[in-house]
Amino acid sequence: MATGIHYEVPAPAAPDEARQELDRLLNNLHKHGVLRIANDFLEASTDVSRIVLAGANQPQSRNVMQNVSLLVMALGKVPPERLAVLSRAVTEGLERMETAADERQRSRAPGLTGTYKLLHDEALWSGLSPLLEGLRGFAQCLHEKEEKPAAKRHD
Amino acid sequence: MPDSQLCTVTVDDRKLVGPADIPLIEFLAGHQISLPHICYDATLGALQTCDICWVVADGQLQRGCSLKARDGLRIGVNDEQAEQARREGADRIVARHELYCSVCENNNGDCQVHNVVREMEIPYQRYPYRQKPYEVDDSHPFYRYDADQCILCGRCVEACQNIQVTETLSIDWQSDDPRVLWDGGEVANESSCVSCGHCVTVCPCNALMEKTMLGEAGPLTAMPASLKRPAIDLIKAVEPTVGFPLIFGLSEIDSAWRQPEIKRTKTVCTYCGVGCAFEMWTRDRKILKVQPVEEAPVNGISTCVKGKFGWDFVNSEDRLTTPLIRDNGQFREASWEEAYRLIAHRFNEIKEQHGPDALSFVSSSKCTSEESYLMQKLARAVIGTNNIDNCSRYCQSPATQGLWRTVGYGGDEGSISDLAGAELLIIVGSNTAESHPVIATRLKQAQKHRGQKHIVADLRRNEMVERADEHIHPRPGTDLVWISAIIKYLFDNGLEDREFLDAKVNKVEEYIRSLESFTLEYAEEITGIEAQRLAGLARMIATAKSACAIWAMGVTQHVNGSDVSTALANLMLVTGNSGRPNTGCYPMRGHNNVQGASDFGAMPGRFPGYEFVADDAVRERYEKAWGVKIPSGKGYNNHTMVQAIHDDKIRSLYVMGEEMAIVDADANYVQEAFDKLDFLVVQDIFFTRTCEQADVVLPGAPSVEKEGTFVNTERRFQRLYQVMEPLPGCKPDWLILTEVAGALGAPWDYQNPSEIMDEAASLAPMFAGVSYDRLEGFKSLQWPVAADGTDTPHLYMDGYPFADGKAKLHALDFYPPGEKLDETYDIHVNNGRLLETFHEGNLTHRSRGLRSLVPGNFVEVSPDLAARRGVKTGSLVKLISPYGEISVHVLVTDRVTGNEVYVPENATDNEHAINILTSNDADKDSDTPAYKEIAARMEVVQVDGPPPLPPTNHRFWKATPQSGVLTERKWQRQDYVQPPGQARNPEKF
C-alpha cells in the first residue's frame, strides 16, 4: 500500500562563494601551468639556486649589477632639490634649443663683429661658466686611473 | 547554384560573381568584404535605420542593406563619399549610445555597436553623447529597457511586429525624443507584450537586456552602480584625450577576459513540441541567458516566454538530490546502491509472484528519445512485459490513430515551412499562439504578410480566433459532424479533387456512402453552425490551391478524438491537400519529446519506429539483438494501467518524469489506484504529487544536465548537449535506467547516449541513418531517415506507406460526448494550457518571473454567466463534477461564452487541478482521456476576492499593429539629414 506521504526537500546549504572563487583561482593557476612552475621551482630550489648563482657570477652579469648599483648610488648622492633644479634647467634648455632650432632659418652668421660682441656678452659667459667648469671636472675624472668605485669612494 | 541565379557585381573595379537578388551586405560578405552595418539582420531584413552601410551605386549613395545584388551593378565601397556617409552614420550612433563597454553586459564579443565602431576605426566621439529624458524601464520581470543606450535601430520593433507578430512595440519617430514604446506607452510591463524575448534577442546593444545578465556577464559588470557611474565618468573624462582606440583596447581585453567564464551550449527547449533550439549561456550553474541563433532549423531567432526565460527550475532549491525510500511511514534519504537494490528486489519478487505483466512502465515526454528507448527496453527485455507507454496517451494518440488509418505515418506530414507556405489553414481545437507559440508566429506572419487565410474552429476566443478570417464555434464535441458535412458537400457539388482521389486514394466510394447522414442541415442541428456558413467554408477550402489542417487537444481529448483526427485527414485527402508542398495534416505535438517517446517504442504495442510487437519477424530482430524472449501481446497503456491496478492485475509501476497523479484524467481515481500498488518507483527532478505515493524516488536530471535527442512535431531529430553537470546527487535518466537494469542483472554498458541511439538506429529501419555525427550542432534530420542519412522533410511525396502506395479514406460515425450537461451539471468546463505555464506547472511554477505573470489557477467565466450567477472577477467558486471538486477564483472574460467556462491545467495540487473534475471516459480508439468533456456545476463560495491575474498580464492590453518600423517617418523629420550631411540633433534619431 502506497499511501501518500508529503516530503519537504531540505533546503540546500548556501553555496560558499568565497570557496568557489578560491577553487576557481586554484583551477586557473593549475590550468595555466603556474602551479606547476611554482611547484617545480620549490621542489628544485637548491639546484635552481645554484644555476641562478652560476649564471649571475659571469662578467657581464656582474657588470650589469655594478653599473645599476653605481647609478643608484649616484642618484643617492644628489639632493632632491638639486636634481629638481637640474631637471628644470634641462627642460628649459631643451625648450630654448627647440625655439632656436625653429628660428634657425632667420639666424645669420655672426661674422667678425658679431663674434667680438659675443666675447663681451656678460650674460652669455655667466651662463656658459658652469658648463665649462662642469666639462673641466668631467675631463679630469676621465684622466684618473681606473679603480674600483668602492675603493675610490672610501679614499 | 545555377548560372541563372548568379550575377556579376563590380565592386571598386573588382568583378565579383555571387547569388543575385540578395542584399548587397550578404553578397559582399560572401566575398569576405565587410560592409559595416547594425540594423540589418538576415531574419529582420533591411530596416534602413542605422545609416551606416552606405555605398555608391550608379553614382548615388545607397544603403547596402536595401540594395540587391544584380547583374551589371557597379558599386563603390571605398568611395570617399560612401566612407564619409558611413562615418557620419556611425558618429550618430555613438551620439545616442554611451560607450562604456567594459562595464556593459553586452560586451561579449557579439555587440554590433561595439564591433562596428571598432571595425570602422572611429577615432573619437565627434558628436557629444546626450542623455535622453527617460528613466530606465525596469518594470518587466524578464528584461530592462534603457532609452539612453537605445540607438533606435528598430530591430526590436520589427521583431515584435513582423516576426513574433504580437505587434506591441513601436518607435515614436515624430516625438521630440523618440524611443521604443509598448502599446504606445513607456512601461514595458503594462502592455500586450507576451515576453517572447524576440526584442531582447535582436537588440544589437544593451538597450534591451535580459535581467539575468545584469551584473553577471563579466567581472566588471558586477561593480555596484555606485561605483559604475563614477568609473564610467572617469573613463569618459580621459576619452577626449586618448580617443576611442585605447578605451576600445581595454574593452577588448574585458571581452576576451569574459570568454573563459561564459559557456555557450546548444540545447533544445524542454517545453512544447515546436522544438526550438538555441544557445544557453551559463557561468558555472548560473544561466545567464538563452540566445537563439539564425541557424536553428525550427525557430531561428524565435522563442516564447518559457523557452527564453523559463529556466529557473533548473537551479530551484527544491530539486531532488538524493534517492528517497519509503520507510515506516516517511521518506528517508538513501544511497543509489540501496535504492537500486530495493528496486531490483521488489521487481523480482513481484515478477516471481505475479508474472512480468504485473509490472508496468511509463516513460516521459520530457526525457530524451534515448531514455524512452531504454525504458521500453527495460520493460520488454529485462522484465518481459509490453506494459510500457508515455504521455502521448494523454494528448496525441488519437491524432496518430487518425493518421495511421488514412495516410500511414503517425507524424506531421511536412514541416513548419509547409504550414507557413499554405494558402489556407484549417485550425481546429488548437490554441496555437499559447500552446505552440513559435509555430503560431509563422502562421501569423503568413497571414499578415502573405495573405494566408485561417479558418479557426474553437470554443474559446483565443488569439488564433481573434486573428481568424473565419471563426466557427461548434457545440462541444461535435467537430466530426461539421467536418464530415463539409466533405459531403464537396462531393455533392463536385468540389472534391477527383484526379487526386482516383490516382492516390482507396476506399473512396465506400467513404462517400458513409457520409449520407452528414447533411448541412444535420450539421447545423448538431453543431449550431448555420448550413450556409458551412457551405461557404467548404467552397473556401475547395478553392484554396494549398491547405493544411492543424489540430490539437481540442480535437483529440474527446471520446471520438481518433475519429475527428481521421475526419480531418479525410478532408485533406478529399481536397487533394496531401503529398505535395504546403499541404497535409499537422497535429501539434504537445511536449518537447512526446513524438520521440512514441517513436522510440514507449508504446504498448509497438517497437521503435512503430513496428508491431506482434510481428514475429520484427520481434525476432529485437530478441536476437537483445538476447531475450519478448512477449508478443500488446500491453496496457497509461490509461488502462490505472484500471488494471484497480483490478489487481498490475502490482508495480515505474514512472519516469511524469506527474501522472495530476495529469491523468479522474485524478482521484488514479491516486486511489496508486494507493493499491505494491511498489511504485518515481523518477523525477522534483518531489511531485506522484512522488507522494512512491516507495522509491530517484532524482533524475533535466534536459540541460544531459545529452540526447528530442524529436519535435515535424518529426525532426535535434541534439541537445550537456549545458552543465547534473546537480550533485542527481543522475541523467539514461544512466539511472542503465544502472537499474544492471541491478536487475542485465549487462547494459552504455557510456554515452550516442551508443543508445546507434543501437536504436541499427534496429529500427525508420531511423537507420540517424547518428550523433549527422546531428552535430544545429543539424537536424526528419524521419524516416535512410541509412545514407537522407531524411524526409515532407512525407508522401512518393506515395503512402501502404501496400499499393495509396492513402485510404476512412468511414466514420458520430459518437457524441460522454459527459452531457443536465440540470445538475449545467456548466461545460473546457481546459488547456496557458502561454506562461506548462502542463501542470511543475517546471514553470518554479520561475518567479512566470509566476508573477500568472500567480495561480482560475476559471474563465463569460460576462453572461457571471451576471446570472452574481460573480465577478476575483470571486471564489467551486466547480463540482461527478468525480470531484476544485476551488478557483473567477476571471470574467469574453474569451468564453454562455455556460462554457475554461480552467487552465496550471495546478499541481488536488485543490485546483482540473483533472479532479475529469471522468474516466476516453477516446474509444486510443484510450486518450476525454479531458475536454466535463460537465460540472458552479457554486459561489465568496463573491469578493483578489483578481486571479495581475493587471499587468498581457491579456488586458491592446496591441498597436503597424507594418513595421516605419523608418520613412524618421526620414520625414525636419531635423533628419541624409549622411554624409551632418546632423543637427544626432542623438534624436
Side-chain angles (χ1 to χ4, degrees):
Chain A
M1 291 295 171
T3 310
I5 305 170
H6 189 64
Y7 175 77
E8 287 284 344
V9 176
D16 184 345
E17 290 177 0
R19 169 64 61 186
Q20 286 175 353
E21 284 302 313
L22 186 61
D23 289 347
R24 192 172 144 237
L25 176 63
L26 274 175
N27 192 39
N28 279 324
L29 287 171
H30 168 66
K31 207 158 64 181
H32 296 285
V34 178
L35 290 180
R36 183 176 173 183
I37 291 168
N39 280 325
D40 290 350
F41 178 78
L42 290 173
E43 287 171 12
S45 59
T46 309
D47 290 342
V48 170
S49 301
R50 191 186 310 123
I51 293 164
V52 169
L53 283 172
N57 205 12
Q58 299 298 313
Q60 294 90 340
S61 304
R62 288 200 298 269
N63 285 345
V64 166
M65 285 188 280
Q66 290 177 87
N67 291 338
V68 169
S69 303
L70 280 172
L71 281 172
V72 170
M73 286 186 291
L75 281 171
K77 285 175 71 176
V78 183
E81 56 272 22
R82 282 187 64 193
L83 189 63
V85 169
L86 185 65
S87 67
R88 273 203 307 277
V90 169
T91 309
E92 180 70 16
L94 285 172
E95 282 181 4
R96 291 218 190 164
M97 282 169 71
E98 271 185 35
T99 309
D102 287 346
E103 291 173 351
R104 195 172 50 189
Q105 298 298 327
R106 295 196 299 273
S107 301
R108 291 180 176 177
L112 276 175
T113 314
T115 306
Y116 180 77
K117 283 181 182 172
L118 282 176
L119 290 171
H120 289 85
D121 186 335
E122 294 292 337
L124 175 66
W125 285 107
S126 82
L128 283 175
S129 296
L131 279 177
L132 292 172
E133 193 57 35
L135 280 172
R136 193 176 293 126
F138 183 70
Q140 278 175 357
C141 283
L142 287 179
H143 288 102
E144 283 181 3
K145 188 183 172 190
E146 288 180 9
E147 288 181 286
K148 287 295 177 189
K152 176 74 179 172
R153 204 166 53 244
H154 292 290
D155 281 347
Chain B
M1 182 176 285
D3 286 351
S4 60
Q5 293 173 19
L6 296 174
C7 66
T8 301
V9 177
T10 306
V11 181
D12 293 333
D13 299 327
R14 284 173 63 200
K15 287 191 183 306
L16 303 177
V17 178
D21 207 32
I22 63 171
L24 185 65
I25 287 176
E26 303 279 6
F27 183 91
L28 293 176
H31 293 88
Q32 288 73 50
I33 298 173
S34 173
L35 184 59
H37 60 275
I38 294 179
C39 67
Y40 174 78
D41 173 270
T43 301
L44 302 174
L47 306 181
Q48 305 185 84
T49 52
C50 74
D51 269 345
I52 288 182
C53 61
W54 295 100
V55 294
V56 169
D58 301 330
Q60 286 192 323
L61 277 173
Q62 296 193 48
R63 295 178 182 87
C65 58
S66 55
L67 187 61
K68 295 281 178 67
R70 64 173 190 275
D71 217 26
L73 179 67
R74 301 181 66 86
I75 63 155
V77 174
N78 296 325
D79 178 283
E80 187 179 347
Q81 194 186 12
E83 285 179 346
Q84 286 175 356
R86 292 199 294 268
R87 172 70 198 278
E88 168 66 17
D91 284 338
R92 293 180 189 182
I93 294 291
V94 291
R96 294 194 290 271
H97 177 88
E98 193 176 25
L99 288 166
Y100 50 67
C101 307
S102 296
V103 293
C104 172
E105 278 81 6
N106 208 43
N107 188 35
N108 305 306
D110 59 351
C111 175
Q112 275 106 332
V113 172
H114 178 102
N115 293 348
V116 161
V117 173
R118 183 198 56 201
E119 182 187 348
M120 291 180 68
E121 298 179 344
I122 305 296
Y124 66 96
Q125 179 110 19
R126 181 147 63 107
Y127 295 122
Y129 165 77
R130 291 200 186 93
Q131 285 193 319
K132 290 147 197 123
Y134 305 110
E135 296 293 316
V136 172
D137 181 2
D138 203 32
S139 63
H140 198 279
F142 298 118
Y143 61 84
R144 178 212 66 183
Y145 175 64
D146 186 350
D148 271 336
Q149 296 300 102
C150 178
I151 62 169
L152 298 174
C153 65
R155 279 181 165 203
C156 55
V157 175
E158 180 67 14
C160 185
Q161 292 283 345
N162 291 331
I163 303 298
Q164 164 64 22
V165 200
T166 292
E167 302 169 314
T168 302
L169 269 58
S170 61
I171 293 176
D172 52 345
W173 291 114
Q174 302 305 312
S175 153
D176 197 33
D177 283 289
R179 55 162 287 163
V180 175
L181 299 175
W182 278 256
D183 293 346
E186 294 179 4
V187 183
N189 204 33
E190 294 177 2
S191 73
S192 56
C193 167
V194 293
S195 311
C196 61
H198 278 82
C199 55
V200 190
T201 294
V202 300
C203 180
C205 57
N206 65 333
L208 283 158
M209 180 61 65
E210 297 89 348
K211 285 190 168 177
T212 45
M213 285 285 278
L214 298 179
E216 298 284 350
L220 297 179
T221 65
M223 194 185 292
S226 58
L227 290 181
K228 198 178 277 187
R229 191 66 248 174
I232 293 169
D233 291 343
L234 174 67
I235 298 294
K236 287 292 163 189
V238 174
E239 189 182 281
T241 304
V242 300
F244 282 161
L246 182 61
I247 307 296
F248 265 63
L250 293 174
S251 64
E252 292 281 304
I253 291 169
D254 171 70
S255 175
W257 187 358
R258 298 180 189 192
Q259 302 313 313
E261 282 197 327
I262 297 176
K263 185 182 171 198
R264 299 165 169 86
T265 314
K266 183 245 179 169
T267 190
V268 182
C269 188
T270 193
Y271 288 111
C272 79
V274 175
C276 296
F278 33 68
E279 288 183 345
M280 186 172 275
W281 289 28
T282 52
R283 183 162 57 82
D284 300 325
R285 287 194 65 85
K286 167 82 181 174
I287 297 173
L288 296 173
K289 68 170 176 175
V290 161
Q291 185 69 14
V293 297
E294 192 82 44
E295 62 262 42
V298 177
N299 56 305
I301 62 165
S302 294
T303 47
C304 77
V305 59
K306 298 185 290 293
K308 177 76 178 174
F309 300 114
W311 295 88
D312 295 4
F313 73 88
V314 172
N315 287 315
S316 176
E317 290 198 343
D318 61 347
R319 279 276 304 276
L320 287 167
T321 55
T322 180
L324 302 172
I325 288 178
R326 174 184 291 263
D327 188 359
N328 201 21
Q330 60 184 358
F331 283 106
R332 65 169 172 82
E333 295 182 356
S335 67
W336 282 98
E337 291 70 27
E338 185 185 5
Y340 289 152
R341 270 199 310 273
L342 179 60
I343 291 168
H345 170 71
R346 295 291 286 132
F347 277 8
N348 284 329
E349 197 172 59
I350 291 166
K351 187 177 167 183
E352 278 175 24
Q353 287 177 5
H354 304 285
D357 285 337
L359 292 97
S360 55
F361 298 81
V362 173
S363 190
S364 173
S365 58
K366 308 234 71 63
C367 287
T368 63
S369 296
E370 292 79 354
E371 287 161 346
S372 276
Y373 177 86
L374 289 193
M375 194 65 162
Q376 60 92 34
K377 185 176 176 182
L378 179 69
R380 294 189 164 116
V382 180
I383 300 299
T385 179
N386 284 316
N387 293 340
I388 167 76
D389 205 13
N390 75 88
C391 161
S392 70
R393 190 67 48 195
Y394 299 143
C395 50
Q396 282 290 7
S397 293
T400 303
Q401 188 73 25
L403 297 176
W404 281 341
R405 283 171 172 173
T406 51
V407 287
Y409 283 123
D412 288 3
E413 178 166 327
S415 306
I416 294 167
S417 57
D418 288 297
L419 292 174
E423 189 177 301
L424 172 70
L425 297 181
I426 302 152
I427 303 170
V428 186
S430 169
N431 181 3
T432 323
E434 297 202 57
S435 301
H436 301 85
V438 170
I439 288 182
T441 67
R442 301 330 190 225
L443 313 185
K444 292 188 287 183
Q445 285 173 28
Q447 190 186 37
K448 182 173 181 177
H449 305 308
R450 298 188 290 280
Q452 185 180 68
K453 300 294 181 197
H454 292 180
I455 296 173
V456 181
D458 212 295
L459 306 186
R460 182 165 169 264
R461 193 172 179 79
N462 59 42
E463 185 183 346
M464 301 314 289
V465 169
E466 287 178 346
R467 292 177 178 272
D469 299 282
E470 297 285 344
H471 169 226
I472 54 173
H473 179 161
R475 292 193 182 103
T478 63
D479 288 324
L480 184 131
V481 177
W482 69 262
I483 297 166
S484 298
I486 280 179
I487 297 172
K488 176 173 169 55
Y489 180 86
L490 293 173
F491 278 118
D492 289 349
N493 291 276
L495 295 171
E496 79 276 16
D497 188 335
R498 179 52 66 177
E499 192 179 337
F500 177 86
L501 291 171
D502 289 346
K504 297 188 174 181
V505 184
N506 287 323
K507 299 190 175 181
V508 176
E509 296 309 316
E510 178 185 333
Y511 178 64
I512 292 172
R513 286 194 296 276
S514 76
L515 291 170
E516 190 176 354
S517 62
F518 292 102
T519 63
L520 293 182
E521 293 69 27
Y522 171 71
E524 180 173 337
E525 179 191 332
I526 299 295
T527 67
I529 305 167
E530 290 176 8
Q532 287 312 305
R533 184 90 194 281
L534 290 174
L537 294 179
R539 290 187 175 276
M540 190 174 168
I541 295 167
T543 53
K545 291 187 177 66
S546 58
C548 297
I550 293 173
W551 71 93
M553 310 302 106
V555 163
T556 59
Q557 292 175 338
H558 288 279
V559 291
N560 61 0
S562 292
D563 285 351
V564 182
S565 300
T566 309
L568 284 163
N570 285 339
L571 176 61
M572 291 295 97
L573 290 173
V574 168
T575 52
N577 283 300
S578 180
R580 58 190 172 92
N582 308 328
T583 64
C585 292
Y586 297 80
M588 295 283 105
R589 303 299 186 184
H591 290 229
N592 55 319
N593 198 38
V594 73
Q595 180 74 51
S598 293
D599 291 349
F600 279 76
M603 300 180 75
R606 308 248 182 170
F607 282 117
Y610 299 100
E611 292 183 292
F612 288 97
V613 292
D615 185 320
D616 292 341
V618 174
R619 205 171 59 257
E620 193 178 328
R621 190 194 317 146
Y622 280 87
E623 287 175 342
K624 191 175 170 188
W626 293 346
V628 295
K629 291 298 287 182
I630 299 169
S632 60
K634 187 177 175 182
Y636 291 110
N637 60 45
N638 276 13
H639 193 65
T640 54
M641 277 178 200
V642 173
Q643 190 57 50
I645 296 168
H646 277 289
D647 296 342
D648 293 333
K649 291 175 181 164
I650 286 178
R651 304 282 183 156
S652 175
L653 178 63
Y654 187 164
V655 181
M656 175 172 72
E658 288 294 344
E659 177 62 302
M660 202 170 163
I662 291 287
V663 304
D664 200 351
D666 198 358
N668 283 324
Y669 193 62
V670 175
Q671 292 166 20
E672 287 164 20
F674 288 175
D675 277 345
K676 293 183 176 177
L677 282 168
D678 290 345
F679 191 61
L680 174 62
V681 179
V682 181
Q683 187 168 312
D684 213 306
I685 63 172
F686 295 110
F687 191 84
T688 62
R689 177 64 186 75
T690 308
C691 288
E692 290 184 15
Q693 288 169 281
D695 294 278
V696 177
V697 177
L698 301 174
S703 62
V704 296
E705 293 178 3
K706 58 192 177 188
E707 292 204 30
T709 58
F710 291 156
V711 184
N712 81 339
T713 191
E714 301 167 292
R715 303 168 280 105
R716 186 188 299 275
F717 283 87
Q718 295 186 96
R719 238 180 111 174
L720 45 142
Y721 292 78
Q722 188 181 53
V723 176
M724 58 184 78
E725 289 293 318
L727 196 62
C730 304
K731 294 187 181 191
D733 297 85
W734 65 267
L735 183 60
I736 297 172
L737 293 169
T738 300
E739 291 176 348
V740 166
L744 286 159
W748 292 10
D749 186 31
Y750 303 109
Q751 301 298 311
N752 185 280
S754 66
E755 296 169 7
I756 304 167
M757 179 58 78
D758 289 345
E759 180 180 313
S762 72
L763 287 167
M766 185 181 270
F767 312 131
V770 178
S771 72
Y772 274 31
D773 287 343
R774 289 190 172 124
L775 296 171
E776 189 181 2
F778 283 91
K779 291 179 195 166
S780 66
L781 294 166
Q782 288 171 274
W783 64 249
V785 183
D788 65 359
T790 305
D791 73 340
T792 317
H794 199 114
L795 297 168
Y796 317 131
M797 301 297 260
D798 301 316
Y800 297 85
F802 296 114
D804 62 357
K806 286 187 171 185
K808 296 183 278 194
L809 287 173
H810 188 95
L812 300 162
D813 293 321
F814 172 53
Y815 289 82
E819 298 290 305
K820 295 183 177 62
L821 302 190
D822 56 27
E823 284 186 2
T824 308
Y825 300 105
D826 59 342
I827 305 287
H828 177 267
V829 186
N830 192 6
N831 54 85
R833 284 192 198 163
L834 287 179
L835 173 68
E836 304 92 332
T837 66
F838 190 77
H839 211 183
E840 80 292 329
N842 272 324
L843 304 183
T844 47
H845 286 187
R846 286 171 168 87
S847 162
R848 188 185 300 174
L850 293 176
R851 267 321 231 181
S852 76
L853 303 174
V854 181
N857 211 2
F858 55 89
V859 55
E860 290 184 346
V861 174
S862 69
D864 166 47
L865 181 62
R868 281 189 277 120
R869 299 297 171 89
V871 296
K872 54 189 179 182
T873 291
S875 295
L876 183 65
V877 297
K878 269 187 185 176
L879 291 172
I880 304 164
S881 81
Y883 312 96
E885 64 178 55
I886 60 172
S887 298
V888 277
H889 288 280
V890 168
L891 178 71
V892 178
T893 171
D894 61 4
R895 281 191 289 276
V896 290
T897 57
N899 278 22
E900 293 171 5
V901 302
Y902 182 84
V903 178
E905 293 167 336
N906 172 32
T908 56
D909 57 66
N910 286 358
E911 285 70 44
H912 306 99
I914 183 65
N915 288 316
I916 296 297
L917 301 183
T918 41
S919 73
N920 203 35
D921 292 346
D923 173 36
K924 61 186 176 57
D925 299 305
S926 70
D927 287 325
T928 290
Y931 292 99
K932 298 293 190 281
E933 297 178 0
I934 303 175
R937 68 173 187 271
M938 187 167 78
E939 291 182 0
V940 182
V941 178
Q942 190 180 317
V943 175
D944 293 312
L949 290 180
T952 50
N953 187 282
H954 71 89
R955 292 168 180 81
F956 300 124
W957 301 84
K958 190 165 174 51
T960 47
Q962 57 187 44
S963 61
V965 185
L966 306 181
T967 313
E968 62 278 10
R969 293 188 183 170
K970 164 179 162 172
W971 300 333
Q972 288 161 3
R973 285 177 65 102
Q974 286 193 333
D975 53 359
Y976 177 78
V977 181
Q978 181 179 305
Q982 294 198 0
R984 276 184 290 139
N985 303 309
E987 77 283 2
K988 300 283 189 186
F989 50 78

